[in-house]
Amino acid sequence: MTNVIGDLTVSVERTLDVDGETVFDVLADPETLGGAERVAREETRESTGRAGTPGAGVRDPPPRVRRGDTFVGPVAVPGGRDADRGPDVGDGSAVGSGASFESYFTVEEHDAGRLVLSGGGDGDAGSFDARVVVAVADVRDGAVVRVDATMDVAGRVASLGAQRVRAAAAAVLERYLSRVERAAASPA
């Protein structure tokens, strides 16, 4: 029998000392993605300037993340007792010490202040499907970034239970927000 955890929700939030536009600019920066690569992009006439006249329809500059972008890469997830100790533990060798998933996410929506992704991943310890919403809002002291993920998890990793899987997923999202914070704070 395969273990399954359905509709597991995880949310993390952080206030950064930069404006929301700067945060949005670094959401898909290679430094923030931890090894994931953009593998597909939905080409549009507006972004390529192929509307008949040179430069026609070109946006200045095109957004870093657009609807239809797909990102693929490894996601290392802390597991077992290590999940409560932080995001940089676990070598992916077993569920007890962590797991690694070859993951993919596609941008479903991208508009002012909101990014919606759907995707999942597969690994020796199981698989997951997820929908992730990243919301960015300017506040007096910078920008608040909130990441909400809803996922279904199956396989050995699900046998850890919802609380441990939620803690491990939160650690992954916290690690991502730390990368976003570093990239946003770095001078261009």
Side-chain angles (χ1 to χ4, degrees), residues 91-187:
D91 61 5
S93 61
V95 173
S97 63
S100 181
F101 297 90
E102 186 60 30
S103 303
Y104 62 92
F105 283 91
T106 299
V107 177
E108 290 182 351
E109 296 176 35
H110 177 254
D111 54 37
R114 188 165 180 258
L115 178 67
V116 179
L117 306 127
S118 63
D122 294 301
D124 290 341
S127 62
F128 72 93
D129 292 314
R131 184 169 194 271
V132 180
V133 178
V134 181
V136 179
D138 284 313
V139 294
R140 183 182 316 165
D141 297 329
V144 173
V145 182
R146 181 177 174 94
V147 181
D148 295 302
T150 303
M151 63 189 87
D152 297 326
V153 180
R156 287 188 300 146
V157 71
S159 70
L160 293 172
Q163 184 176 358
R164 285 174 136 170
V165 172
R166 185 176 289 110
V172 168
L173 295 177
E174 287 288 351
R175 179 174 52 211
Y176 173 69
L177 285 183
S178 292
R179 290 180 182 143
V180 168
E181 185 171 26
R182 278 193 304 273
S186 297

